[in-house]
Amino acid sequence: MTTTLLDTLRQIVGADHVLTEGDLTAYEQDWRKRARGKALAVVRPASTPEVAAVVKACAAAGCSIVPQGGNTGLSVGSTPDDSGTQVVLSLTRMNAVRAMDRDNLTMTVEAGCILQSLQETANKEGLLFPLSLAAEGSCTIGGNLSTNAGGTQVVRYGNARELCLGLEVVTPQGEVWDGLSGLRKDNTGYDLRDLFIGSEGTLGIITAATMKLFPQPAARLTAWAAVPSMAAAVRLLGLAHQHLGAGLTGFEVMGQFALSLVTRHMPQLRVPFAGLKGAPPYYVLLENSDSESEQHARERFEALLELAFEDGCMLDAVVAESLSQAQELWHIRESIPLAQAEEGLNIKHDISIAASRIPAFVEHADALLAREIPGVRLVNFGHLGDGNLHYNVQAPEGGDAGEFLRTQEARVNQLVYDAVAQFGGSFSAEHGVGQLKADKLAQYKSPVALSMMRAIKQALDPQGLMNPGCVLQK
């Protein structure tokens, strides 16, 4: 049966695109190197009909499929198990921009398109595709949609879900649903698009999408502000919403310890206010995009910062005077995960809580972890504008980071996720559930929600062949 299936797959996509030998680490190991599986084969179709034919062949053989884009996910959602019986279906060859509609402000793209290339394609047309995240140079739009990716501009433009108008999907039976509508209004039955977005390849395979575009802003300004507390950062967020409105396109918070790791491991980066005596506990990175002019943007920005200073929710600030300075500030923020990795293995959390409750959560969780695990170090940063924190936990200074991860991860996760639930939040804001957190879904999601999810899975994928073990436990 296995030989017959492999022969069929070679006939569909060509022998060169059915990989069974050699180093397949790029496909079989997850981005964070948390898991390594063994695939029966890595299959690389070049078109939607080829994807459909591959799925039909696998369904007929009872072979499960693990859809994969850039394999940059952080929850082990696109990695095969170690059975050697699963097909990894890589969509990276499907990287065409099928259509650009300037008047409708949309572009229709294939799932294997690299996110950064889509940003550049829109930019060449004088338009903006605002989805932006750290892995944009290697992640794909299909993966972004499958995980409902977030990033740095959700406060203005929303998650990947809000940026998508239509999908093309291959079902678990190998049929093709063409829902590539560029319509912004279509109330004709159930919203199938939103069903597949965020489903992490467990209900079908996204092969193409119609995405929203926006006019390029006339000006974009960036500021770095020191704030006396997390509560002050939330107060500054409120003032920014009030005075910038839709012009607020970025609002990031960074803890002092998180930035100290950047200073320690990347001394070439100049972190504003670093090394000052009595350094504030938190810093905020704000972005203001303006449709009129740079002068108009600067006037509104400076008025906001002056008001925040008078209010007491901001201690000091620097405004980037050029695009290169703004890029340097963003580079510091985006370097925190890399600096944390240099410090050693750590326990990562991607959580969301209503912005209004984040100060109380942080105070509670910080005290809880300090009491339960003396000396633990907290690397707290994230997208405060949309209530998403990367609340990460580092081993005590001088401790064995690997040993800390092995012995404390389960306990730390329980403490943090229980606290998140207590404050009405979610244990996965933008990274998805994958295999890594499937047990947490069973623990923290309501029985009613889980029952509906299983019913949907059973209805669409009765053989259970689409990414088994991902999202819903086997």
Side-chain angles (χ1 to χ4, degrees):
M1 177 66 75
T2 296
T3 302
T4 302
L5 174 60
L6 290 175
D7 287 343
T8 301
L9 296 177
R10 292 184 181 106
Q11 292 172 7
I12 294 168
V13 304
D16 290 345
H17 301 293
V18 178
L19 311 179
T20 58
E21 299 177 350
D23 185 4
L24 300 179
T25 303
Y27 303 97
E28 294 177 333
Q29 182 171 269
D30 81 296
W31 186 257
R32 291 170 59 194
K33 299 179 174 60
R34 294 292 302 265
R36 173 71 188 265
K38 173 60 179 172
L40 171 67
V42 176
V43 181
R44 303 174 63 243
S47 67
T48 299
E50 286 188 2
V51 174
V54 168
V55 172
K56 282 183 180 179
C58 289
C63 177
S64 58
I65 298 172
V66 179
Q68 190 178 96
N71 198 23
T72 60
L74 300 175
S75 297
V76 194
S78 59
T79 306
D81 62 23
D82 59 4
S83 67
T85 62
Q86 297 183 318
V87 165
V88 171
L89 195 152
S90 171
L91 294 151
T92 52
R93 292 179 68 209
M94 295 184 59
N95 56 10
V97 175
R98 294 186 184 176
M100 175 74 68
D101 189 338
R102 291 183 55 85
D103 292 335
N104 197 45
L105 288 176
T106 58
M107 62 178 172
T108 299
V109 302
E110 292 183 340
C113 288
I114 300 296
L115 175 55
Q116 185 175 340
S117 72
L118 297 184
Q119 297 167 347
E120 293 169 351
T121 298
N123 189 54
K124 289 176 183 176
E125 296 290 330
L127 297 170
L128 172 70
F129 182 58
L131 186 63
S132 179
L133 49 145
E136 61 194 26
S138 50
C139 66
T140 63
I141 193 64
N144 298 149
L145 289 165
S146 293
T147 58
N148 190 28
T152 59
Q153 301 198 75
V154 174
V155 65
R156 166 65 177 87
Y157 298 103
N159 284 31
R161 183 187 306 280
E162 282 73 42
L163 295 171
C164 181
L165 292 175
L167 293 177
E168 177 185 82
V169 176
V170 173
T171 72
Q173 293 72 40
E175 298 176 331
V176 179
W177 170 54
D178 183 356
L180 289 174
S181 164
L183 301 177
R184 286 169 170 78
K185 289 185 175 180
D186 182 8
N187 286 341
T188 51
Y190 302 131
D191 195 332
L192 300 177
R193 172 197 60 193
D194 278 355
L195 190 62
F196 288 104
I197 295 174
S199 65
E200 303 187 44
T202 62
L203 303 179
I205 301 171
I206 295 172
T207 52
T210 300
M211 307 301 295
K212 295 179 185 177
L213 299 173
F214 298 83
Q216 282 280 4
R220 186 180 285 126
L221 294 179
T222 303
W224 184 284
V227 296
S229 65
M230 184 64 82
V234 172
R235 200 156 69 248
L236 177 57
L237 173 62
L239 291 175
H241 276 305
Q242 181 180 350
H243 291 274
L244 300 180
L248 179 64
T249 50
F251 197 97
E252 303 287 300
V253 69
M254 300 153 286
Q256 192 277 328
F257 177 67
L259 291 172
S260 75
L261 294 181
V262 175
T263 300
R264 177 185 301 177
H265 296 288
M266 301 172 182
Q268 73 277 14
L269 298 181
R270 295 178 294 176
V271 179
F273 313 122
L276 294 180
K277 188 176 181 180
Y282 291 101
Y283 299 84
V284 168
L285 185 60
L286 306 91
E287 183 179 83
N288 173 32
S289 299
D290 195 282
S291 60
E292 293 188 25
S293 66
E294 183 170 345
Q295 180 181 349
H296 183 257
R298 191 167 293 277
E299 288 173 355
R300 296 182 70 191
F301 217 22
E302 290 177 350
L304 166 65
L305 297 177
E306 182 178 345
L307 182 63
F309 186 76
E310 293 173 354
D311 178 85
C313 64
M314 187 186 78
L315 302 174
D316 204 349
V318 293
V319 179
E321 295 296 330
S322 65
L323 178 60
S324 63
Q325 287 185 5
Q327 290 173 337
E328 287 175 10
L329 294 178
W330 277 104
H331 185 50
I332 293 168
R333 155 63 183 87
E334 291 163 356
S335 296
I336 293 174
L338 298 176
Q340 188 178 8
E342 288 293 321
E343 185 72 7
L345 294 171
N346 51 81
I347 303 170
K348 296 184 182 298
H349 302 108
D350 165 51
I351 61 175
S352 64
I353 295 170
S356 57
R357 305 195 72 184
I358 282 179
F361 164 80
V362 169
E363 182 179 1
H364 169 80
D366 284 4
L368 176 65
L369 288 168
R371 183 177 70 247
E372 295 294 323
I373 310 173
V376 74
R377 298 176 294 167
L378 303 174
V379 185
N380 190 6
F381 64 100
H383 320 298
L384 183 60
D386 56 63
N388 177 194
L389 290 181
H390 300 303
Y391 188 81
N392 300 338
V393 180
Q394 202 92 31
E397 185 80 42
D400 184 327
E403 181 67 14
F404 177 77
L405 184 67
R406 285 189 296 274
T407 61
Q408 298 288 349
E409 183 174 26
R411 183 182 180 208
V412 167
N413 285 343
Q414 187 76 45
L415 291 170
V416 172
Y417 292 147
D418 282 354
V420 169
Q422 180 181 334
F423 282 84
S426 168
F427 66 84
S428 182
E430 62 181 2
H431 293 169
V433 176
Q435 301 172 40
L436 191 64
K437 302 176 186 176
D439 61 328
K440 302 299 184 292
L441 190 77
Q443 182 178 354
Y444 292 103
K445 212 70 174 174
S446 79
V448 174
L450 286 169
S451 177
M452 289 190 288
M453 289 181 192
R454 293 191 183 102
I456 292 169
K457 172 71 171 174
Q458 178 62 28
L460 295 183
D461 182 21
Q463 287 182 270
L465 299 182
M466 285 289 163
N467 217 1
C470 182
V471 182
L472 295 172
Q473 288 181 303
K474 293 182 182 179

